[in-house]
Amino acid sequence: MQRAAASGTEQSQLPVEVDPREPLARLRQDLRTGPEGLSRREAERRTAVYGPNEVRREHRGQLRRELARQLVHPLALLLWGAAGLAFVAGTRVLGVAIVAVVLLNAGFALLQERQAERAVEALADYLPAHSRVLRDGREQTVESTQLVPGDLILLDEGDKVPADVRLVEGAVEIDLSMLTGESAPVERAAGQAAADAPTLREPNLAFSGTTCVGGQAKAIVFATGRHTELGRIAALSQRTRREGSPLELQVKRVAWLIAAVAVGMGAVFLLIGTASGLPVRDALTFAIGLLVANVPEGLLPTITLALALGVRLLARQGAVVKRLSAVETLGSTHVICTDKTGTLTRNRMRLRAVWTPLGGERDVEQPGPGDDVDRLAEAMAECTTVTRGGDGAFSGDPTEVALVEAAVRLGRDPDPGARDLRRRALFRFDPRLRMMSVVSDLRDTPTVSVKGAPEALLPLLGRTADADAVHAAVDAMAREGLRVLAVATRSQASADVPARREDVECDLELLGLVGLHDPPRPEVAGAVRRCHQAGLRVHVVTGDNGATAAAVAREVGIGDPELRVLADAESVGEQRLDELLASPAEVVFARASPETKLRVADALRDQGQIVAMTGDGVNDAPALHRAHIGVAMGLSGTDVAREAATMVLTDDNFATIVKAVESGRRVYDNVRKFILYIFAHAVPEIVPFLVYALSGGTIPLPLTVLQILAIDLGTETLPALALGREPAEPGLMTRPPRRSGRGSGVITKDMLFRAWAFLGLLSTVLVMGAYFSVLWRAGWTPGASTAEGSALHQDYLTATTATFAGIVMCQVGTAMAARTDRASLREVGWASNPLLLAGIVFELAFTAVLIWVPPFQRVFGTAPLPWDVVALLLTFPVLVWGADELRRSLRRRREPVRGAAADPADQG
């Protein structure tokens, strides 16, 4: 008898990975182990080589290092600069407030970065704490982290499998749902490996993290830690790091651009001011004011809060979004890759068609008398594991529940309790064999009842059946979108039940075919239609057969006008996959595995598409990470899938994804609206300093640094936030998705033209007109002194106050104009955003306080305004909004119908 390896030389020669499917004797030789397991000392030596048996996280670096990276984000740097300028200007409270905003945003971003690690931590929960193992020939209980390749472990009902193992004695039923998504346990038994079977389908292998639901076995460990299937998934999850959303990347580019412009303009005009004869202190004040006017202090918190509002709205609609920026990414989505069962359909099977060899197709509601239908109904009810509750309802696997309910409709009322009493053997559904069988005492005779996929069951028929007729019936049902199962039987001559299922599932008599229909959710067809109107493609990635999946896809409108069906998605090559996804057709990937999802996500990303991918199993986690938007199922999904996903559907409904896309588009549009609103005020804030510098001080400074800060962090903030709550503009879901790449930034040249050359320039003319009108009416002439103590000083304060108040009034008009990109405000509704109206009331009240309350007058350098000046300023909102309304009206006349290729990001 071969003993455990004992020498360090032998141990050092152990291969890192072995082939668990090779003959058992060779496997034991490769692992240097035997029927009595390893010795304690050998196990300790192997632990030193292989490391602990655990799912390990990559070390991401120290917390301080990650926090520091968040604090030097481009927008954070701009806010640091704004805070520094606020302290220089003597406004400590404003400086502290800006610093608080920077720290809060950095902390929130840090939490987002650590989200991916939590998915890997959730994988670790699948491993048991302790395991039973044979060491030195004796049974021991050890920590599962101490298992090593070559260990001989004992499995019993209720145990979690602690590592990847090969069964050497006995048999168990394993729940593989966390790896394969299959709801029914599968049988695993000691024996020879199956030829050409995928690793997960091997009949003698069990895998780390799965659960033993029945039986007993001994198994030899062949892989631990990161070399297990669970460890491989964890490694993929960590390698597929989250990339920045389109908005995050665009805002970073814009932030660097703004920083460069602000610093460059400040430096250039500092030199110009000094060369124009300004005192150095005045020139420095001018440069600081110019920098403050360029820095959009409220941009980052406004974006954050707008996205947070989108998250709250989606949560009420059934979509829990775990990362703020994902809301905007949803609006950029080009392709949705969806599961079929439970997402497009209700996951509520119901009998739709019956076919028997004697009677052909039968009416489901009134099948008529016949021994063939009776026997079919009996076998359907017998070959299940469903239970019946106190209310009389059946529960269990949806397919089996549908079969039992169908048996009731066909005239046989099954009793699950009596069924279990007469059962002598049960061979559960095996996804590799694609069938299930039971042996029961029916009419005092051991009778085999089998159900399974027709293509798997038909070769096992003993009697010659009309194969052409059977295949024709199967094809007809599949084309109608039905899941087709074949049901067969056999009476045993012997009272002894064979131990091997292959000796049971043979020489069968076909009783008939049943077609089960999982009806599509009623709202899915409308959701798919909205996807097509919005220019989104929908691909189906499913483990079902191609004909059934294609029929469901066509029923809900997927594939209109062209649908391609890939019957065996596992076998498709990379070039063929790229060709399919590059074509305008929608594709059904049938018989697909979670690895197929990862390949599809990679291929779409390489083509520049923004991808949303659904999934519910543990090994869907890498694909959910890899997609721009990973969508997990809240009802049927695993904890690992929910941790790995960006969005969790609380109702498992495809239509909720489409609602999320619409919400994402609305949020993106609203981000553009308040950026337009913020940028439009940069021009009337910058021009006064340019006038002051270029005149060499002959024209006194029309606006102070503190007044700019009061605008950027006071009057501007609430209306900007309110624009983040703007309702969707007409036509939101009838335009194509935004292009990816540099040409589709959140800030475009058309937006900048509208913000700076139109709204900004118009506001500047109005504001500077008010400033000069106050000064000229007081008798000011260029070069006259307005310093403190001079005769014109009070009039100068009134004039700067008019500039400040004029910018605020222009903000009101800009806010109303920014509510739409193209439509008339009347279409959207004057009062459809009450938060904006409240924000406007607040900014007017805040401005009034700064102008007419004495303590604030001294701080901000303001003075009371005459009522005729107030009357003049009250016309500014109407002039600004009216001019932009006229511009949009002229644009609509030039472009009465939006072109199919129009990109909303190009609209200003």
Side-chain angles (χ1 to χ4, degrees):
M1 180 172 60
Q2 186 180 3
R3 296 289 300 174
S7 72
T9 303
E10 285 183 328
Q11 186 271 339
S12 64
Q13 296 173 351
L14 279 172
V16 175
E17 293 186 5
V18 297
D19 183 359
R21 292 173 290 193
E22 61 188 358
L24 183 58
R26 179 59 185 271
L27 180 64
R28 280 177 166 157
Q29 182 180 354
D30 287 345
L31 291 172
R32 305 290 193 269
T33 188
E36 295 185 6
L38 302 174
S39 68
R40 176 185 57 81
R41 286 182 297 176
E42 177 63 18
E44 291 174 353
R45 281 195 291 266
R46 295 191 185 189
T47 300
V49 173
Y50 289 98
N53 174 40
E54 61 185 7
V55 176
R56 288 183 290 178
R57 295 185 287 111
E58 290 184 10
H59 294 291
R60 300 289 185 88
Q62 297 298 322
L63 180 64
R64 286 179 296 177
R65 188 187 312 161
E66 290 197 17
L67 182 60
R69 190 173 73 248
Q70 298 300 334
L71 293 176
V72 295
H73 180 280
L75 273 182
L77 291 176
L78 288 178
L79 292 177
W80 282 122
L85 294 173
F87 283 118
V88 169
T91 54
R92 184 177 180 182
V93 174
L94 289 174
V96 170
I98 297 173
V99 170
V101 168
V102 174
L103 294 177
L104 285 174
N105 278 283
F108 191 82
L110 182 63
L111 292 176
Q112 294 175 350
E113 290 295 326
R114 298 180 68 86
Q115 184 68 44
E117 293 185 12
R118 291 171 56 189
V120 178
E121 290 166 359
L123 286 170
D125 294 338
Y126 281 87
L127 295 178
H130 296 87
S131 302
R132 292 186 300 144
V133 62
L134 287 179
R135 286 194 179 157
D136 295 316
R138 294 183 292 107
E139 180 180 331
Q140 304 176 30
T141 299
V142 300
E143 293 184 4
S144 296
T145 56
Q146 300 304 311
L147 292 178
V148 294
D151 263 327
L152 191 64
I153 67 170
L154 305 176
L155 295 176
D156 207 340
E157 181 176 346
D159 290 344
K160 282 188 175 181
V161 181
D164 286 3
V165 299
R166 161 87 174 264
L167 272 63
V168 296
E169 289 183 23
V172 290
E173 290 180 345
I174 297 291
D175 179 3
L176 283 175
S177 60
M178 55 87 67
L179 285 178
T180 65
E182 297 286 349
S183 58
V186 298
E187 186 181 45
R188 292 290 185 261
Q192 297 297 318
D196 301 325
T199 303
L200 288 176
R201 308 299 188 196
E202 278 292 346
N204 56 15
L205 301 184
F207 299 95
S208 176
T210 59
T211 304
C212 177
V213 297
Q216 293 179 327
K218 287 183 181 180
I220 185 172
V221 175
F222 66 85
T224 59
R226 62 188 178 89
H227 298 291
T228 63
E229 285 294 307
L230 202 64
R232 181 182 64 83
I233 293 169
L236 283 172
S237 297
Q238 292 183 113
R239 282 201 296 269
T240 52
R241 298 289 179 83
R242 182 183 73 85
E243 297 181 1
S245 75
L247 180 61
E248 288 174 315
L249 299 176
Q250 292 161 11
V251 167
K252 278 189 177 183
R253 289 198 294 266
V254 171
W256 285 121
L257 175 63
I258 292 173
V261 170
V263 173
M265 289 181 65
V268 169
F269 286 101
L270 174 61
L271 297 176
I272 293 176
T274 305
S276 301
L278 288 177
V280 174
R281 181 175 180 179
D282 291 347
L284 182 60
T285 301
F286 151 73
I288 292 173
L290 195 60
L291 287 173
V292 171
N294 271 287
V295 174
E297 292 88 354
L299 182 58
L300 187 59
T302 304
I303 289 176
T304 301
L305 290 173
L307 295 176
L309 292 172
V311 167
R312 289 182 58 190
L313 176 63
L314 284 173
R316 289 197 293 268
Q317 295 176 338
V320 179
V321 177
K322 301 191 298 180
R323 194 174 72 237
L324 287 186
S325 61
V327 179
E328 181 274 331
T329 308
L330 280 162
S332 309
T333 300
H334 298 94
V335 180
I336 299 175
C337 297
T338 177
D339 294 315
K340 179 182 72 69
T341 303
T343 307
L344 297 179
T345 65
R346 296 180 178 181
N347 199 20
R348 296 176 187 170
M349 293 286 185
R350 184 172 174 82
L351 183 70
R352 175 70 70 84
V354 173
W355 182 92
T356 63
L358 294 178
E361 187 172 351
R362 309 294 288 263
D363 187 337
V364 175
E365 300 301 332
Q366 296 179 335
D371 186 55
D372 57 339
V373 175
D374 228 15
R375 295 177 65 201
L376 175 64
E378 180 183 61
M380 286 164 50
E382 201 69 26
C383 193
T384 63
T385 58
V386 301
T387 59
R388 179 175 249 163
D391 58 355
F394 297 107
S395 61
D397 179 77
T399 300
E400 293 195 345
V401 170
L403 290 175
V404 174
E405 292 175 344
V408 174
R409 295 169 65 191
L410 294 175
R412 178 171 292 273
D413 190 5
D415 181 353
R419 175 204 64 196
D420 292 343
L421 288 176
R422 60 177 174 262
R423 178 170 293 167
R424 302 182 60 182
L426 166 66
F427 298 94
R428 292 185 181 273
F429 177 77
D430 186 328
R432 178 176 60 87
L433 301 175
R434 298 173 60 202
M435 69 177 67
M436 169 188 173
S437 60
V438 298
V439 182
S440 307
D441 286 325
L442 296 176
R443 293 171 291 278
D444 299 325
T445 302
T447 303
V448 178
S449 302
V450 185
K451 73 171 188 295
E455 57 267 35
L457 193 147
L458 293 181
L460 305 179
L461 298 180
R463 301 181 188 177
T464 303
D466 187 348
D468 292 340
V470 175
H471 287 300
V474 170
D475 292 342
M477 290 183 183
R479 284 195 299 270
E480 294 178 9
L482 305 183
R483 182 181 182 186
V484 186
L485 294 178
V487 181
T489 189
R490 178 172 69 84
S491 296
Q492 282 204 173
S494 169
D496 297 328
V497 178
R500 299 191 311 165
R501 70 183 300 163
E502 54 263 39
D503 294 331
V504 171
E505 297 165 346
C506 63
D507 197 25
L508 300 173
E509 174 192 355
L510 180 67
L511 294 177
L513 304 172
V514 291
L516 301 174
H517 181 55
D518 184 8
R521 294 176 181 267
E523 62 273 22
V524 168
V528 171
R529 188 163 53 251
R530 297 181 69 201
C531 283
H532 292 163
Q533 291 172 347
L536 276 69
R537 285 191 299 160
V538 182
H539 300 312
V540 180
V541 188
T542 177
D544 213 335
N545 75 65
T548 301
V552 172
R554 292 189 179 96
E555 189 172 352
V556 298
I558 296 174
D560 183 15
E562 183 182 1
L563 181 69
R564 296 189 180 182
V565 181
L566 198 61
D568 184 9
E570 290 291 280
S571 63
V572 66
E574 295 299 323
Q575 183 176 353
R576 173 63 175 157
L577 180 63
D578 290 340
E579 292 173 355
L580 280 171
L581 295 175
S583 71
E586 291 175 323
V587 184
V588 170
F589 295 92
R591 300 301 186 200
S593 70
E595 286 74 13
T596 306
K597 292 184 176 181
L598 184 58
R599 292 177 62 207
V600 170
D602 279 334
L604 288 169
R605 288 183 68 107
D606 287 346
Q607 295 176 8
Q609 305 290 305
I610 305 296
V611 187
M613 174 77 71
T614 69
D616 52 15
V618 167
N619 56 350
D620 284 332
L624 295 177
H625 267 300
R626 187 60 178 155
H628 296 90
I629 295 291
V631 183
M633 302 297 112
L635 296 178
S636 60
T638 60
D639 290 339
V640 175
R642 286 191 285 268
E643 286 289 352
T646 311
M647 182 172 76
V648 179
L649 302 183
T650 59
D651 56 2
D652 291 12
N653 194 338
F654 176 83
T656 305
I657 304 175
V658 182
K659 292 178 185 176
V661 171
E662 180 177 9
S663 183
R665 288 191 174 193
R666 183 183 59 80
V667 167
Y668 182 84
D669 279 3
N670 290 347
V671 168
R672 285 174 46 81
K673 289 171 184 177
F674 64 65
I675 290 178
L676 170 74
Y677 169 76
I678 290 172
F679 275 28
H681 308 135
V683 178
E685 290 177 1
I686 292 172
V687 167
F689 288 90
L690 299 182
V691 170
Y692 169 66
L694 295 176
S695 70
T698 302
I699 298 174
L701 189 62
L703 193 66
T704 67
V705 174
L706 285 179
Q707 289 168 354
I708 291 176
L709 290 172
I711 293 170
D712 289 351
L713 292 174
T715 65
E716 186 174 82
T717 305
L718 281 185
L721 289 175
L723 286 171
R725 294 289 299 271
E726 193 65 31
E729 192 170 345
L732 179 69
M733 289 295 283
T734 60
R735 65 194 189 199
R738 299 192 306 276
R739 297 187 302 267
S740 57
R742 288 189 172 271
S744 60
V746 67
I747 298 174
T748 64
K749 60 182 179 181
D750 289 337
M751 174 200 270
L752 294 180
F753 177 85
R754 185 183 177 192
W756 290 343
F758 189 78
L759 293 170
L761 185 59
L762 176 59
S763 298
T764 301
V765 171
L766 295 174
V767 166
M768 294 305 294
Y771 172 73
F772 283 118
S773 69
V774 173
L775 283 182
W776 284 330
R777 189 173 59 178
W780 171 84
T781 57
S785 175
T786 57
E788 189 173 356
S790 66
L792 291 173
H793 179 65
Q794 190 62 34
D795 296 300
Y796 168 68
L797 293 180
T798 303
T800 58
T801 303
T803 305
F804 165 68
I807 292 177
V808 173
M809 299 307 290
C810 288
Q811 280 182 326
V812 174
T814 302
M816 300 303 289
R819 293 186 62 191
T820 66
D821 280 326
R822 186 175 184 276
S824 168
L825 186 58
R826 185 172 57 255
E827 294 180 58
V828 177
W830 292 84
S832 59
N833 189 349
L835 186 62
L836 177 61
L837 301 179
I840 290 173
V841 170
F842 168 82
E843 73 173 325
L844 294 178
F846 181 78
T847 302
V849 169
L850 265 58
I851 292 175
W852 278 284
V853 177
F856 291 96
Q857 290 175 349
R858 289 190 292 271
V859 173
F860 288 93
T862 58
L865 292 174
W867 292 110
D868 59 334
V869 175
V870 172
L872 174 66
L873 297 180
L874 288 175
T875 65
F876 287 7
V878 177
L879 292 173
V880 173
W881 165 76
D884 194 71
E885 187 77 12
L886 178 61
R887 182 193 66 83
R888 282 180 277 120
S889 175
L890 293 174
R891 179 178 180 179
R892 289 193 299 272
R893 292 177 184 176
R894 292 195 307 269
E895 307 168 9
V897 178
R898 177 174 295 164
D903 191 327
D906 294 333
Q907 297 174 14

